[in-house]
Amino acid sequence: NVPCSRRVAMCDGAQVTWNLKLNKDVASAEWSDEAGKALQLTPTQEDSPLYRIPESPMASTRYRLRLTDHQGRSEKVSEEFIVKVIPNREPSLKLTSASDQRVSPIQEMMVGAKVQDDFGIHRAGVSGSVGDRETKEIELIGASLEKAEIKKKELLHLIDLESWQAKADQLVTYHFWSEDLDRDGPPRRVDSEMFFAEIRPF
């Protein structure tokens, strides 16, 4: 709860509820947005001068409250309420140690990337495959872990080509990925570019 606030900043997808308590009963209370959409308010049952207005704005906007009492008088200046919606941007990936290589079948490749998200990384990891085999997805930040929200993290992973059963003349492909949650809740994934490692003979 933020008392006596007429300006609110909120992340995209969140909801704000205004609790407005008037100093007297009024004949009408109108709540309108910048687009001209108006809503006639009714007081809550538990306290008649109290109005509760939930809003889920898609973008930054301003609201107006217009009041008229039982004598037909309106307020001298209509109250303005401002919501600033902070966009939920896609996660970003910056590769730190990833490149096309020529390696042996028993080599270990260290690969890395930096991931960042404005509201928190949901999941992140690296995926790779050898030849035409099914792609392996290796989770380096997991959604099921009990953790504070991670907004920035450097990912490092050692790809053990011997355990992947790589053989000469095969091609290893790999890429990093990161997920956040979009405004409606489902995960949203960003993939890095694909890299290749050519397996050379001993």
Side-chain angles (χ1 to χ4, degrees), residues 182-196:
D182 72 11
R183 75 178 322 274
D184 298 317
R188 174 175 54 181
R189 177 173 288 207
V190 170
D191 294 311
S192 75
E193 59 184 300
M194 189 79 69
F195 289 92
F196 304 90

Side-chain angles (χ1 to χ4, degrees), residues 55 90 149 183:
E55 291 284 0
E90 290 184 341
E149 279 192 349
R183 75 178 322 274

Side-chain angles (χ1 to χ4, degrees), residues 1-200:
N1 290 340
V2 182
C4 301
S5 175
R6 290 171 174 80
R7 294 175 179 264
V8 176
M10 55 184 277
C11 64
D12 188 17
Q15 184 184 74
V16 59
T17 299
W18 306 95
N19 291 305
L20 309 176
K21 187 165 186 179
L22 309 183
N23 63 342
K24 59 182 286 188
D25 289 331
V26 294
S28 71
E30 182 184 86
W31 179 262
S32 60
D33 61 18
E34 288 180 302
K37 181 182 176 182
L39 175 67
Q40 290 296 325
L41 304 179
T42 55
T44 59
Q45 293 179 354
E46 62 267 22
D47 192 349
S48 59
L50 178 67
Y51 296 82
R52 182 170 290 115
I53 311 156
E55 291 284 0
S56 300
M58 302 285 288
S60 299
T61 190
R62 295 168 183 263
Y63 298 95
R64 292 268 183 188
L65 177 66
R66 293 180 174 87
L67 304 171
T68 304
D69 67 11
H70 294 284
Q71 287 74 43
R73 298 173 298 184
S74 60
E75 73 281 4
K76 291 182 179 180
V77 179
S78 61
E79 295 286 354
E80 185 178 65
F81 299 81
I82 301 172
V83 175
K84 180 180 179 182
V85 176
I86 302 169
N88 182 0
R89 297 183 176 87
E90 290 184 341
S92 65
L93 273 169
K94 182 180 180 182
L95 300 170
T96 56
S97 57
S99 62
D100 295 339
Q101 302 180 50
R102 196 163 186 265
V103 294
S104 77
I106 60 171
Q107 191 167 324
E108 294 178 333
M109 295 192 310
M110 179 64 75
V111 295
K114 290 181 179 178
V115 295
Q116 186 172 341
D117 186 71
D118 45 6
F119 293 118
I121 301 160
H122 179 61
R123 293 172 66 236
V126 62
S127 295
S129 64
V130 178
D132 57 0
R133 294 182 207 157
E134 186 177 347
T135 299
K136 294 182 178 182
E137 186 171 281
I138 300 157
E139 191 177 74
L140 303 178
I141 297 177
S144 61
L145 298 179
E146 292 185 6
K147 61 183 187 307
E149 279 192 349
I150 299 173
K151 295 187 177 181
K152 184 186 293 186
K153 180 82 171 177
E154 182 167 6
L155 306 179
L156 292 172
H157 183 68
L158 194 66
I159 297 178
D160 182 356
L161 295 175
E162 186 174 15
S163 68
W164 282 27
Q165 299 178 342
K167 293 180 173 56
D169 298 326
Q170 287 185 320
L171 196 65
V172 176
T173 61
Y174 67 95
H175 71 277
F176 283 90
W177 50 268
S178 179
E179 291 179 356
D180 72 345
L181 300 178
D182 72 11
R183 75 178 322 274
D184 298 317
R188 174 175 54 181
R189 177 173 288 207
V190 170
D191 294 311
S192 75
E193 59 184 300
M194 189 79 69
F195 289 92
F196 304 90
E198 182 185 354
I199 308 299
R200 58 176 172 78

